[in-house]
Structures are given as C-alpha cells and as structure tokens.
Amino acid sequence: MRRRSSLPVTFLVPTLAILLVLSMVPTLYAIVIALQNRELSSTGYSWVWFSNFADLFLDRRFLNAVWVSVKWEIVTVIATMVVAIGLGVLMFEVAGPRLRNFYCLLFIIPVLLPRVSAAFVWKFAYHPLYGIATYPYRLVTGGLIFDPLSKPGTALFAVASVDVWQWGLFFAVIVLKLLETLPPQPIEAARLDHVKRWQIHAYVTLPMLKAPLISLMFVKMIESLRSFDLIYVMTRGGPGVATETLDMYAFSQGFIESGKVSYASAMAVLMMIATVITFTMLWKRVQA
C-alpha cells in the first residue's frame, strides 16, 4: 500500500519541480532586469528600481499598445465564441453524422497550420490587386483597390479575422461534440412542444453547457495574448501603430529600435501582473 501511495508523488514531484524552475527563473530574472537600466549596446547597468514602470505611464505609444491589446482581446474572443457557437449549433441541427465528421475534419485543419504559415497565406489573400479576399470588393466597385492591411481602421480587424478563422472553426467542433453529449430528452421534449430551434439552444442546450463554454472562452483569452507572430508577419504593428500590441511594442523597444532591455522587461512584467489580476477577478466573478 505504501508503494502504491508513493508512486504518484514519485512521478509528479520531479515534473512539477522542472516546470517550476522553467517558469519562475525567467520570471524572476525579468523582474530583476526591469528594476535596472540595461541596454543591448552596453554591458554596464545600475539600479533604477521603479523608474521604468513610471516612465511607461508617460509613454503615449505604450498607452496606445495597451488599448490595441484590449481591442484585440475583445474582438478575437467575442468573434471566436460567436462563430464557434453559431457553426456548432448549425452543424448539430442541419448535418447528419457523416457530414458532421467531414465538417469536423475540415474545421480542424486551420488550427493545425503553423501560425506564421497562416499569416503569410492570408497576407497574400488580402493583397489589394491579387488577393482572393479583396476580389469581391474589386468586383462590386468596378476595380477599385482596397488594401485592408494598410488602413488603420481595418488592419486590426483583418488580422483578427485570421485568428478567428483558425480558432473559431476549431471551437465549433468542440461545441458540436459538447452538444452531442447532452441528454436528448430535454431537446425532444422542447421539440414536441413546437419550440423553435433557436429557442431550444438559447434556453435549453447552451445554458446546460455554460461551464464548458466559459472554459473555452478563458482558453481563447489566454491564447489571444500569444498573437505576436500573427500580427508581426501580417502588419509589423502597422500601419503606424494601429496593430501594435504590448508584446510587439516590448519586442520593438528591447531588440529592434532602441535596445532598452530593461524598459521592455518592465512592460512584460506589468503585462504579466495585469493579466494575472484580470483573469483571477474574472474567474472569481464567473464562479460566484
């Protein structure tokens, strides 16, 4: 009995210790660097403590990056969940078992693509002259050129559509499988009472799936924070700073423009703290 009880500890403790080291060492090192004034062009440094954090709130470009990051989170999360629920319910109502399997296989393909590859494909699709995504606009307007990636008002939404294309379709498969696991009796009873299809899902099936749908939303919120590669390939944060998120601005300040490693680390630390606090508050509010 003792050997059996100690077996989980034997496997878990080394793994958790390695994960703890891999997560905490870079985090603590980033905090230390954020309290200094290190630059790539110099080996010397001194302790400036919270000066970098104070400078951030006087940086208009940083404040813009915060606002862009918030917009990115709102747009991608809401659009992904709407697409996922809509397509999942549509497949559940219209498609048969074989057709559902075909759609599931088809919808999983986008998320299997590397993010950089998907970004290059869609960047060409949004090409103002040869892109398939801009062709309907040229057809309707008689050949007028439209470049959504070069306009501040449409660039963020154009890039967000690629993120939704990848994750919205994948989440639709998950929503479909969740609907298939529900007990059929409440749905059949509602149909016998001649309840409309949208009412069945609005008042019966989706409320029953509240917990897993909230979990999916949190997964997407976390995943949307990892948007650097997609935005960098498609717009490089442009036009101007219209699509420059916090991680892109930190990368630019730390390695591209000025080499202010400590300033970039301060941004990363502040982003980590804000993310932890926000997600904790949202999780407690949802669980209440």
Side-chain angles (χ1 to χ4, degrees), residues 62-285:
F62 168 76
L63 298 177
N64 174 78
V66 172
W67 173 234
V68 172
S69 298
V70 171
K71 286 195 297 183
W72 174 265
E73 282 284 318
I74 294 174
V75 170
T76 56
V77 172
I78 292 179
T80 297
M81 295 307 298
V82 169
V83 170
I85 294 174
L87 287 178
V89 170
L90 185 62
M91 288 189 293
F92 182 77
E93 287 291 336
V94 176
R98 291 185 178 180
L99 197 56
R100 288 180 188 176
N101 293 333
F102 172 76
Y103 284 141
C104 289
L105 179 63
L106 193 65
F107 288 172
I108 289 176
I109 292 176
V111 80
L112 296 178
L113 291 175
R115 183 72 70 90
V116 175
S117 301
F120 274 113
V121 170
W122 277 94
K123 186 177 182 179
F124 184 76
Y126 280 126
H127 193 278
L129 293 177
Y130 312 109
I132 190 173
T134 58
Y135 176 76
Y137 180 85
R138 298 196 306 272
L139 188 65
V140 172
T141 59
L144 292 179
I145 296 176
F146 174 61
D147 188 1
L149 296 178
S150 67
K151 296 182 180 298
T154 59
L156 184 70
F157 298 99
V159 180
S161 65
V162 182
D163 185 79
V164 175
W165 170 72
Q166 282 195 299
W167 290 97
L169 298 182
F170 176 63
F171 280 7
V173 176
I174 299 177
V175 172
L176 172 63
K177 297 306 176 182
L178 289 172
L179 290 171
E180 291 177 347
T181 61
L182 292 177
Q185 291 82 5
I187 301 175
E188 293 175 358
R191 286 175 176 167
L192 289 174
D193 291 335
H194 302 288
V195 178
K196 296 181 179 179
R197 290 185 177 183
W198 70 268
Q199 291 176 326
I200 293 175
H201 294 286
Y203 300 108
V204 180
T205 60
L206 295 182
M208 295 172 69
L209 296 176
K210 179 181 177 181
L213 289 178
I214 290 176
S215 299
L216 276 180
M217 183 182 68
F218 273 93
V219 170
K220 185 64 189 81
M221 290 173 67
I222 296 172
E223 194 280 329
S224 290
L225 295 173
R226 301 165 54 250
S227 58
F228 174 85
D229 48 358
L230 178 63
I231 300 176
Y232 186 81
V233 171
M234 294 191 70
T235 64
R236 300 289 179 95
V241 291
T243 59
E244 187 177 63
T245 54
L246 273 173
D247 49 356
M248 288 203 64
Y249 183 43
F251 175 77
S252 176
Q253 288 294 301
F255 301 100
I256 301 299
E257 295 182 9
S258 54
K260 297 179 180 179
V261 181
S262 293
Y263 195 65
S265 296
M267 273 186 267
V269 171
L270 199 63
M271 183 179 178
M272 178 190 67
I273 295 173
T275 302
V276 171
I277 293 175
T278 302
F279 276 79
T280 302
M281 293 177 61
L282 288 174
W283 183 258
K284 288 185 176 180
R285 191 178 185 86

